[in-house]
Amino acid sequence: MEVFVKVGRGDLDRLTTEVMQLREFLPRMVNDLVDTLQKTSNTERVSDHVSQEQNRLRQQCLHLGSRLDSAETERQRERESEGMRPSGLRGYVPPETWGRIHKAFYLTARSAPNSR
């Protein structure tokens, strides 16, 4: 069963114009949408890569920080062991011995004959 509808000439012209505009603009809109989706996908991939790189650098930074801490600890142990051994004023001298060293140097300098 077919049904016919009577449409005025003005309405038909408007419908024809709308269909022609849709045929013209719809492919461009779809292409723009596809381009936007591809850019979004690329952006997500780049973002994931940047996130992974940040995590790698963060781990490397933590590793280097722990190596620095252990090197500083080892150096501190070396300084402490140098301070414990008798020294000829070479290497690390603990602050508590500075006064004695100064006094000994001062007395030695006063008792030495003038070279003038």
Side-chain angles (χ1 to χ4, degrees), residues 24-80:
E24 182 182 342
F25 294 119
L26 193 59
R28 280 192 238 162
M29 291 172 52
V30 170
N31 284 337
D32 288 347
L33 181 62
V34 168
D35 288 344
T36 302
L37 290 173
Q38 287 175 345
K39 288 177 184 177
T40 302
S41 176
N42 288 339
T43 302
E44 287 174 353
R45 272 189 251 126
V46 168
S47 177
D48 288 344
H49 177 73
V50 166
S51 177
Q52 290 173 357
E53 183 67 12
Q54 282 178 335
N55 286 335
R56 187 187 69 78
L57 290 173
R58 192 174 292 118
Q59 292 298 321
Q60 186 177 8
C61 184
L62 290 172
H63 174 71
L64 291 173
S66 66
R67 285 183 58 193
L68 175 64
D69 288 343
S70 57
E72 286 176 339
T73 303
E74 182 64 27
R75 180 63 185 140
Q76 184 63 31
R77 281 192 208 123
E78 289 175 2
R79 283 185 173 178
E80 289 171 359

Coordinates of all heavy atoms in Angstrom, one line a residue, residues 24-80:
E24 N 27.0 18.1 0.9 CA 28.3 18.9 0.7 C 29.1 18.9 2.0 O 30.3 18.7 2.0 CB 27.9 20.3 0.3 CG 29.1 21.2 0.1 CD 28.8 22.6 -0.3 OE1 27.6 22.9 -0.7 OE2 29.6 23.5 -0.1
F25 N 28.4 19.1 3.2 CA 29.1 19.3 4.4 C 29.4 18.1 5.2 O 30.4 18.0 6.0 CB 28.4 20.4 5.3 CG 28.4 21.7 4.7 CD1 27.2 22.3 4.4 CD2 29.5 22.4 4.5 CE1 27.1 23.6 3.9 CE2 29.5 23.7 3.9 CZ 28.3 24.3 3.7
L26 N 28.6 17.1 5.1 CA 28.7 15.8 5.9 C 30.1 15.2 5.6 O 30.7 14.8 6.6 CB 27.5 14.9 5.6 CG 27.4 13.7 6.6 CD1 27.2 14.3 8.0 CD2 26.2 12.9 6.1
P27 N 30.5 15.0 4.4 CA 31.9 14.4 4.2 C 33.0 15.1 4.9 O 33.9 14.6 5.5 CB 32.1 14.3 2.7 CG 30.7 14.4 2.2 CD 29.9 15.2 3.1
R28 N 32.9 16.5 4.8 CA 34.0 17.3 5.5 C 33.9 17.1 7.0 O 34.9 17.0 7.7 CB 33.8 18.8 5.2 CG 34.3 19.1 3.8 CD 34.4 20.6 3.7 NE 33.6 21.0 2.5 CZ 33.1 22.2 2.2 NH1 33.3 23.2 3.1 NH2 32.5 22.4 1.1
M29 N 32.7 17.1 7.6 CA 32.5 16.9 9.0 C 33.0 15.6 9.4 O 33.7 15.4 10.5 CB 31.1 17.1 9.4 CG 30.6 18.6 9.2 SD 28.8 18.8 9.5 CE 28.5 18.1 11.0
V30 N 32.7 14.5 8.7 CA 33.2 13.2 9.0 C 34.7 13.1 8.9 O 35.4 12.5 9.8 CB 32.6 12.1 8.1 CG1 33.2 10.8 8.2 CG2 31.1 12.0 8.4
N31 N 35.3 13.7 7.9 CA 36.8 13.8 7.7 C 37.4 14.5 8.9 O 38.4 14.1 9.5 CB 37.2 14.4 6.4 CG 37.0 13.5 5.2 OD1 37.0 12.3 5.4 ND2 36.9 14.1 4.1
D32 N 36.8 15.6 9.3 CA 37.4 16.4 10.4 C 37.3 15.5 11.7 O 38.2 15.5 12.5 CB 36.6 17.7 10.6 CG 36.9 18.7 9.6 OD1 37.9 18.5 8.8 OD2 36.1 19.7 9.5
L33 N 36.2 14.8 11.9 CA 36.0 14.0 13.1 C 37.1 12.8 13.1 O 37.7 12.6 14.1 CB 34.6 13.4 13.1 CG 34.3 12.5 14.3 CD1 34.4 13.2 15.6 CD2 32.9 11.9 14.1
V34 N 37.3 12.2 11.9 CA 38.3 11.2 11.8 C 39.7 11.7 12.1 O 40.5 11.1 12.8 CB 38.3 10.5 10.4 CG1 39.5 9.6 10.2 CG2 37.0 9.7 10.3
D35 N 40.0 12.9 11.5 CA 41.3 13.5 11.8 C 41.5 13.8 13.3 O 42.5 13.6 13.9 CB 41.5 14.8 11.1 CG 41.7 14.6 9.6 OD1 42.0 13.5 9.2 OD2 41.5 15.6 8.8
T36 N 40.4 14.3 13.9 CA 40.5 14.6 15.4 C 40.7 13.3 16.2 O 41.5 13.3 17.1 CB 39.2 15.3 15.8 OG1 39.0 16.5 15.1 CG2 39.2 15.6 17.3
L37 N 40.0 12.3 15.8 CA 40.2 11.0 16.5 C 41.6 10.5 16.3 O 42.2 9.9 17.3 CB 39.2 10.0 16.0 CG 37.7 10.2 16.4 CD1 36.8 9.2 15.7 CD2 37.6 10.2 17.9
Q38 N 42.2 10.6 15.1 CA 43.6 10.2 14.9 C 44.6 11.0 15.7 O 45.5 10.4 16.3 CB 43.9 10.2 13.4 CG 43.3 9.2 12.6 CD 43.5 9.3 11.1 OE1 44.0 10.4 10.7 NE2 43.2 8.3 10.3
K39 N 44.3 12.3 15.8 CA 45.2 13.2 16.6 C 45.1 12.8 18.0 O 46.1 12.8 18.8 CB 44.9 14.6 16.4 CG 45.3 15.1 15.0 CD 44.8 16.6 14.8 CE 45.2 17.1 13.4 NZ 44.7 18.4 13.2
T40 N 43.9 12.5 18.5 CA 43.7 12.1 19.9 C 44.5 10.8 20.2 O 45.1 10.7 21.2 CB 42.2 11.9 20.2 OG1 41.5 13.2 19.9 CG2 42.0 11.6 21.6
S41 N 44.4 9.9 19.3 CA 45.1 8.6 19.4 C 46.6 8.8 19.5 O 47.3 8.2 20.3 CB 44.7 7.7 18.3 OG 45.4 6.4 18.4
N42 N 47.1 9.6 18.6 CA 48.5 9.9 18.6 C 48.9 10.6 19.9 O 50.0 10.3 20.4 CB 48.9 10.8 17.4 CG 48.9 10.0 16.1 OD1 48.9 8.8 16.1 ND2 48.7 10.7 15.0
T43 N 48.1 11.6 20.3 CA 48.4 12.3 21.6 C 48.4 11.3 22.7 O 49.3 11.4 23.6 CB 47.3 13.4 21.8 OG1 47.3 14.3 20.7 CG2 47.6 14.2 23.0
E44 N 47.5 10.4 22.8 CA 47.5 9.4 23.9 C 48.8 8.5 23.8 O 49.4 8.2 24.9 CB 46.3 8.5 23.8 CG 45.0 9.2 24.2 CD 43.7 8.4 23.9 OE1 43.9 7.3 23.4 OE2 42.7 8.8 24.4
R45 N 49.2 8.1 22.6 CA 50.4 7.3 22.5 C 51.6 8.1 23.0 O 52.5 7.6 23.7 CB 50.6 6.9 21.1 CG 50.0 5.6 20.8 CD 50.4 5.0 19.4 NE 49.2 5.1 18.6 CZ 49.1 5.7 17.4 NH1 50.2 6.2 16.9 NH2 48.0 5.8 16.8
V46 N 51.7 9.4 22.6 CA 52.8 10.2 23.0 C 52.8 10.5 24.5 O 53.8 10.4 25.2 CB 52.8 11.6 22.2 CG1 53.8 12.6 22.9 CG2 53.1 11.4 20.8
S47 N 51.6 10.7 25.0 CA 51.4 10.9 26.5 C 51.9 9.6 27.2 O 52.6 9.7 28.3 CB 50.0 11.2 26.8 OG 49.8 11.3 28.2
D48 N 51.5 8.4 26.7 CA 52.0 7.2 27.4 C 53.5 7.1 27.3 O 54.1 6.7 28.3 CB 51.3 6.0 26.7 CG 49.9 5.8 27.0 OD1 49.4 6.5 27.9 OD2 49.2 5.1 26.2
H49 N 54.1 7.4 26.2 CA 55.5 7.3 26.0 C 56.2 8.3 27.0 O 57.2 8.0 27.7 CB 55.9 7.7 24.6 CG 57.4 7.7 24.4 ND1 58.2 6.5 24.4 CD2 58.3 8.7 24.2 CE1 59.4 6.9 24.2 NE2 59.5 8.2 24.1
V50 N 55.7 9.5 27.1 CA 56.2 10.5 28.0 C 56.1 10.0 29.5 O 57.0 10.2 30.3 CB 55.5 11.9 27.8 CG1 55.9 12.9 29.0 CG2 56.0 12.5 26.5
S51 N 55.0 9.5 29.8 CA 54.8 8.9 31.2 C 55.8 7.8 31.5 O 56.4 7.8 32.6 CB 53.3 8.4 31.3 OG 53.1 7.9 32.6
Q52 N 56.0 6.9 30.5 CA 57.0 5.9 30.7 C 58.4 6.4 30.9 O 59.2 6.0 31.7 CB 56.9 4.9 29.6 CG 55.7 4.0 29.5 CD 55.6 3.2 28.3 OE1 56.5 3.3 27.4 NE2 54.5 2.4 28.2
E53 N 58.7 7.4 30.1 CA 60.0 8.0 30.2 C 60.2 8.7 31.5 O 61.3 8.7 32.1 CB 60.2 9.0 29.0 CG 61.6 9.7 28.9 CD 62.7 8.7 28.6 OE1 62.4 7.6 28.2 OE2 63.9 9.1 28.8
Q54 N 59.2 9.4 32.0 CA 59.2 10.1 33.3 C 59.5 9.0 34.4 O 60.3 9.3 35.3 CB 57.9 10.8 33.6 CG 57.8 12.2 32.9 CD 56.5 12.9 33.2 OE1 55.5 12.2 33.5 NE2 56.5 14.2 33.1
N55 N 58.8 7.9 34.3 CA 59.0 6.9 35.3 C 60.4 6.3 35.3 O 61.0 6.1 36.3 CB 57.9 5.7 35.1 CG 56.6 6.1 35.6 OD1 56.4 7.0 36.4 ND2 55.6 5.5 35.0
R56 N 60.9 6.1 34.0 CA 62.3 5.6 33.9 C 63.3 6.6 34.5 O 64.2 6.2 35.3 CB 62.6 5.4 32.4 CG 64.0 4.7 32.2 CD 64.3 4.6 30.8 NE 64.6 5.9 30.2 CZ 65.7 6.6 30.3 NH1 66.7 6.1 31.1 NH2 65.9 7.8 29.8
L57 N 63.1 7.9 34.2 CA 64.0 8.9 34.7 C 63.8 9.0 36.3 O 64.8 9.2 37.0 CB 63.7 10.3 34.1 CG 64.1 10.3 32.6 CD1 63.6 11.7 32.0 CD2 65.6 10.2 32.4
R58 N 62.6 8.9 36.8 CA 62.4 8.9 38.2 C 63.1 7.8 38.9 O 63.8 8.0 39.9 CB 60.9 8.9 38.5 CG 60.5 9.2 39.9 CD 59.0 9.3 40.1 NE 58.5 10.4 39.5 CZ 57.6 10.3 38.5 NH1 57.1 9.2 38.1 NH2 57.1 11.4 37.9
Q59 N 63.0 6.6 38.3 CA 63.8 5.4 38.9 C 65.3 5.6 38.8 O 66.0 5.3 39.7 CB 63.4 4.1 38.1 CG 61.9 3.7 38.3 CD 61.7 3.4 39.8 OE1 62.5 2.8 40.4 NE2 60.5 3.8 40.2
Q60 N 65.7 6.2 37.7 CA 67.2 6.4 37.5 C 67.6 7.5 38.6 O 68.7 7.3 39.2 CB 67.5 6.9 36.1 CG 68.9 7.1 35.8 CD 69.2 7.5 34.4 OE1 68.3 7.8 33.7 NE2 70.5 7.5 34.0
C61 N 66.8 8.5 38.8 CA 67.1 9.5 39.8 C 67.2 8.9 41.2 O 68.1 9.2 42.0 CB 66.1 10.6 39.7 SG 66.4 12.0 40.8
L62 N 66.3 8.0 41.5 CA 66.3 7.4 42.8 C 67.5 6.5 43.0 O 68.2 6.5 44.0 CB 65.0 6.5 43.0 CG 63.7 7.3 43.2 CD1 62.5 6.3 43.2 CD2 63.7 8.1 44.5
H63 N 67.9 5.8 41.9 CA 69.0 4.9 41.9 C 70.3 5.8 42.1 O 71.2 5.4 43.0 CB 69.1 4.1 40.6 CG 70.4 3.3 40.5 ND1 70.6 2.2 41.2 CD2 71.5 3.5 39.7 CE1 71.8 1.7 40.9 NE2 72.3 2.5 40.0
L64 N 70.4 6.9 41.4 CA 71.6 7.7 41.5 C 71.7 8.4 42.9 O 72.7 8.5 43.5 CB 71.6 8.8 40.4 CG 71.9 8.3 39.0 CD1 71.7 9.4 38.0 CD2 73.3 7.7 38.9
G65 N 70.5 8.7 43.5 CA 70.4 9.3 44.8 C 70.9 8.3 45.8 O 71.6 8.6 46.8
S66 N 70.5 7.0 45.7 CA 71.0 6.0 46.7 C 72.5 5.7 46.5 O 73.2 5.5 47.5 CB 70.2 4.7 46.5 OG 70.4 4.1 45.3
R67 N 73.0 5.8 45.3 CA 74.4 5.6 45.1 C 75.2 6.8 45.7 O 76.2 6.6 46.3 CB 74.7 5.6 43.6 CG 74.4 4.2 42.9 CD 74.7 4.1 41.5 NE 76.2 4.3 41.3 CZ 76.7 4.6 40.1 NH1 76.0 4.6 39.0 NH2 78.0 4.7 40.0
L68 N 74.6 8.0 45.6 CA 75.2 9.2 46.2 C 75.2 9.0 47.7 O 76.3 9.3 48.4 CB 74.5 10.5 45.8 CG 75.0 11.8 46.5 CD1 76.4 12.1 46.1 CD2 74.0 12.9 46.1
D69 N 74.1 8.6 48.3 CA 74.0 8.4 49.7 C 75.1 7.4 50.2 O 75.8 7.6 51.2 CB 72.7 7.9 50.1 CG 71.6 9.0 50.0 OD1 72.0 10.2 49.9 OD2 70.4 8.7 50.0
S70 N 75.2 6.3 49.5 CA 76.2 5.3 49.9 C 77.6 5.8 49.7 O 78.5 5.5 50.6 CB 76.0 3.9 49.2 OG 76.0 4.1 47.9
A71 N 77.9 6.6 48.7 CA 79.2 7.2 48.5 C 79.5 8.2 49.6 O 80.7 8.2 50.1 CB 79.3 7.8 47.1
E72 N 78.5 9.0 50.0 CA 78.7 9.9 51.1 C 79.0 9.2 52.4 O 79.8 9.6 53.2 CB 77.5 10.9 51.2 CG 77.4 11.9 50.1 CD 76.2 12.7 50.2 OE1 75.2 12.3 50.8 OE2 76.2 13.8 49.6
T73 N 78.2 8.1 52.6 CA 78.4 7.4 53.8 C 79.8 6.8 53.9 O 80.5 6.8 54.9 CB 77.4 6.2 53.9 OG1 76.1 6.8 53.9 CG2 77.5 5.4 55.2
E74 N 80.2 6.2 52.7 CA 81.6 5.6 52.7 C 82.7 6.7 52.9 O 83.6 6.5 53.6 CB 81.8 5.0 51.3 CG 83.1 4.3 51.1 CD 83.3 3.1 52.0 OE1 82.3 2.5 52.5 OE2 84.5 2.8 52.4
R75 N 82.5 7.9 52.3 CA 83.4 9.0 52.5 C 83.5 9.4 53.9 O 84.6 9.7 54.5 CB 83.1 10.1 51.6 CG 84.0 11.3 51.7 CD 85.4 10.9 51.3 NE 86.3 12.0 51.6 CZ 87.5 11.9 52.0 NH1 88.0 10.8 52.3 NH2 88.3 13.0 52.3
Q76 N 82.3 9.4 54.6 CA 82.3 9.8 56.0 C 83.0 8.8 56.8 O 83.8 9.2 57.7 CB 80.8 9.9 56.5 CG 80.7 10.4 57.9 CD 81.2 11.8 58.1 OE1 81.2 12.7 57.2 NE2 81.8 12.1 59.3
R77 N 82.9 7.5 56.5 CA 83.6 6.5 57.2 C 85.1 6.6 57.0 O 85.9 6.5 58.0 CB 83.2 5.1 56.7 CG 81.9 4.6 57.3 CD 81.7 3.1 57.0 NE 80.2 2.9 57.0 CZ 79.6 2.4 56.0 NH1 80.2 2.0 54.9 NH2 78.3 2.2 56.0
E78 N 85.5 7.0 55.8 CA 86.9 7.2 55.5 C 87.5 8.4 56.3 O 88.6 8.3 56.9 CB 87.1 7.4 54.0 CG 87.0 6.2 53.2 CD 87.1 6.5 51.7 OE1 87.3 7.7 51.3 OE2 86.9 5.6 50.9
R79 N 86.7 9.4 56.4 CA 87.1 10.6 57.1 C 87.3 10.3 58.6 O 88.2 10.7 59.3 CB 86.1 11.8 57.0 CG 86.3 12.5 55.7 CD 85.3 13.6 55.6 NE 85.6 14.4 54.4 CZ 84.9 15.5 54.1 NH1 83.9 15.9 54.8 NH2 85.2 16.1 53.0
E80 N 86.3 9.5 59.1 CA 86.4 9.2 60.5 C 87.6 8.3 60.8 O 88.3 8.5 61.8 CB 85.1 8.5 61.0 CG 83.9 9.4 61.0 CD 82.6 8.7 61.3 OE1 82.6 7.4 61.3 OE2 81.6 9.4 61.3

